[in-house]
Amino acid sequence: MDLASVTQGDQALLYMERYVDEGARTYSPLAGRTEAAPRYRPESDTPWFDLVTFNAPRDRVSVFQADPAPALLHHFIRPEGVLFAVHPETWANDTVEGLGDIRALPRDTPIRVAPTASTRTVLALEPPKNVPGHFLKLHYPVRISRFNRELRLKNIHNSVAVSRDLANLRFDKFAYLPDTLGIAFGADEQSWGFLIRETWPRPFVTGRFLIPCFALYAGDLNHPDAPPLLVQMIDRLAAEPVPFVINRVFAPVVECWARVARERGILLESHAQNTLLEVDRDFVPRRVVHRDFDVWVDPGARHRAGLEIPFLGRGMAADTDEAVKQHYSLVYDQFIGHHFFGYVAGILKSYYGVDEEIVRAQVREVFHRSFPDAGRSFPARTMFKFRNEVPPGRNVMLEDMQQPSVWR
Ligand SMILES: Nc1ncnc2c1ncn2[C@@H]1O[C@H](COP(=O)(O)OP(=O)(O)OP(=O)(O)O)[C@@H](O)[C@H]1O
Ligand SMILES: [Mg+2]
């Protein structure tokens, strides 16, 4: 892909989401696996597919809101009922619990969509004129990479609650794609449904364009010889590669992550699929745009900050300080350090002959500047990762790697 085409709106973003992810899903033995049917995978050549929709009575759904654009709200929550969307593969799967009741509802107009890199989050391709652009994140109970991608009431509630919470953060390098509306069929724990994520980052700035962070370093499926977008950007801006990557990519990601963790107790999973680099018309990176807010929360950090815990479940699902620290390590050392920064450092090495340790040392400095009290939240001298055995559902089992993190 040519860097210049990044400015071509939703189509450019979708192209990167679907086809500029070559070689990026190698960060674990499970990362490249998927049980989604081939035609629904992002890299398929199916241009679009239709979500199955139903008209659900208002009193049979749970609705969660984080200040949605009014036209978007009214598009889904209508006087005659709620527009309830189901992924076609979920709709066709007789083993999906609760589907019987949903199938009995009156059908509504299908929603034409295309998948993003996560597979289960899709972009609405033809929203009515007055309705703002949006993604739908769907209940898709098949394994995609490590997890079974269910989207239950708790996930929906928490994603919207975190979206609401993030509106309080003020930091010029931080922006986010809010999950502004969540709809579950039913009101109990097992209920499932979908999220609506607006395409305009908040706070909104005009004349900006998004590049999913994996597309900075990954290959383009259809143009295997094209240099990575990061290399094109460095070239076009005539930038010094190491300072550019540190100041324009790594430092903003670390600073945003540390601000949100320390000030809000929210552990954003800022890996390369959950972050997008926002560039201006000259392709200069300006902000890191975050998405995907079904994340762990550190109740201790919330208490220290004098904040409530308006989330379902017990935040970290961890009883001890040690277990909390393990989650901090998993998110920072693995998701950000290993799954994201490691690949970018690999580009610096292969294109510019840069010693990766020089880059890592600078990131460590940024980390300690941004997280001066890291000793309270992180394990000393070691880091944690997921065990390779796949546990059932979304339970996680962590493993002590017995080696220090190279990124902090
Ligand atoms: N380069 C990448 N790094 C990490 N994950 C990637 C990458 N490319 C694609 N993915 C996919 O994105 C998903 C990441 O999981 P994650 O839980 O962050 O997202 P999600 O909750 O399914 O969706 P969303 O991010 O849209 O909210 C997985 O399905 C994974 O296979
Ligand atoms: Mg994600």
Side-chain angles (χ1 to χ4, degrees):
M1 177 163 172
D2 183 16
L3 181 64
S5 50
V6 159
T7 57
Q8 286 164 13
D10 282 357
Q11 281 313 313
L13 178 62
L14 207 48
Y15 185 84
M16 293 183 270
E17 291 281 341
R18 300 190 61 175
Y19 305 117
V20 190
D21 198 14
E22 283 291 288
R25 271 176 275 183
T26 52
Y27 50 83
S28 94
L30 304 174
R33 288 198 343 192
T34 178
E35 293 171 358
R39 64 183 306 252
Y40 300 124
R41 297 179 191 170
E43 68 278 13
S44 81
D45 48 21
T46 319
W48 46 262
F49 59 86
D50 286 336
L51 303 183
V52 184
T53 70
F54 300 90
N55 184 21
R58 177 65 185 83
D59 61 359
R60 295 190 69 188
V61 297
S62 304
V63 175
F64 304 93
Q65 295 186 40
D67 191 21
L72 194 57
L73 177 67
H74 298 134
H75 179 57
F76 284 93
I77 314 290
R78 304 166 305 186
E80 69 274 21
V82 174
L83 181 62
F84 190 86
V86 182
H87 191 284
E89 199 176 5
T90 305
W91 174 77
N93 181 350
D94 290 332
T95 68
V96 173
E97 54 196 283
L99 194 56
D101 287 344
I102 293 171
R103 282 177 175 168
L105 298 171
R107 291 282 286 269
D108 212 316
T109 317
I111 302 176
R112 186 145 295 178
V113 299
T116 66
S118 78
T119 310
R120 56 132 156 207
T121 301
V122 298
L123 177 67
L125 295 178
E126 301 165 2
K129 263 211 177 62
N130 62 326
V131 175
H134 56 280
F135 302 92
L136 296 97
K137 180 168 176 173
L138 301 155
H139 181 65
Y140 200 175
V142 300
R143 242 174 233 289
I144 301 171
S145 69
R146 175 171 299 270
F147 295 109
N148 187 317
R149 301 291 169 171
E150 299 179 334
L151 197 70
R152 304 231 178 241
L153 186 131
K154 175 183 151 187
N155 312 105
I156 296 170
H157 175 285
N158 288 350
S159 300
V160 173
V162 168
S163 297
R164 249 194 328 263
D165 201 89
L166 290 175
N168 296 300
L169 193 92
R170 294 274 170 275
F171 182 43
D172 58 357
K173 294 176 194 167
F174 177 84
Y176 64 107
L177 297 181
D179 291 327
T180 57
L181 192 56
I183 300 172
F185 188 75
D188 61 27
E189 256 185 27
Q190 292 306 306
S191 305
W192 54 264
F194 62 106
L195 285 162
I196 294 155
R197 178 176 298 162
E198 300 190 13
T199 54
W200 281 17
R202 291 188 187 184
F204 185 69
V205 179
T206 51
R208 300 282 175 89
F209 309 93
L210 298 180
I211 302 175
C213 283
F214 58 77
L216 291 170
Y217 57 81
D220 179 339
L221 183 66
N222 302 313
H223 306 95
D225 297 329
L229 290 174
L230 178 67
V231 172
Q232 295 185 47
M233 206 182 272
I234 290 170
D235 196 37
R236 184 170 181 126
L237 299 173
E240 269 303 315
V242 174
F244 178 80
V245 166
I246 296 286
N247 297 328
R248 295 291 187 172
V249 184
F250 288 165
V253 169
V254 172
E255 288 162 5
C256 288
W257 187 81
R259 294 279 301 250
V260 177
R262 296 177 70 235
E263 292 176 23
R264 314 296 309 174
I266 294 169
L267 272 66
L268 292 181
E269 297 182 5
S270 304
H271 58 54
Q273 183 271 330
N274 286 340
T275 49
L276 304 95
L277 196 64
E278 188 185 57
V279 299
D280 64 19
R281 288 186 196 286
D282 299 322
F283 306 99
V284 177
R286 295 291 175 190
R287 300 190 297 183
V288 182
V289 178
H290 299 74
R291 63 177 161 193
D292 191 349
F293 304 130
D294 185 12
V295 294
W296 286 301
V297 170
D298 174 359
R302 299 274 306 174
H303 283 306
R304 284 196 295 278
L307 299 171
E308 294 172 356
I309 307 189
F311 313 111
L312 298 179
R314 291 183 307 138
M316 303 288 256
D319 302 326
T320 63
D321 264 10
E322 279 318 298
V324 170
K325 288 179 175 175
Q326 294 174 10
H327 285 79
Y328 273 83
S329 169
L330 176 73
V331 173
Y332 179 78
D333 299 325
Q334 297 303 311
F335 295 175
I336 300 177
H338 178 266
H339 300 1
F340 175 5
F341 289 5
Y343 286 86
V344 175
I347 295 285
L348 289 175
K349 182 176 181 184
S350 57
Y351 280 82
Y352 307 103
V354 172
D355 175 356
E356 288 159 287
E357 180 45 28
I358 290 174
V359 178
R360 296 195 290 241
Q362 293 190 37
V363 172
R364 291 197 291 270
E365 247 181 72
V366 174
F367 172 80
H368 287 287
R369 205 165 55 227
S370 312
F371 214 130
D373 46 357
R376 167 152 70 184
S377 306
F378 283 84
R381 292 176 297 280
T382 191
M383 57 181 169
F384 287 78
K385 64 169 189 144
F386 283 132
R387 265 184 211 288
N388 279 334
E389 306 84 78
V390 187
R394 261 205 95 103
N395 296 337
V396 297
M397 291 202 297
L398 304 186
E399 180 178 316
D400 187 343
M401 296 178 73
Q402 305 193 341
Q403 49 179 301
S405 167
V406 292
W407 298 103
R408 71 173 153 93

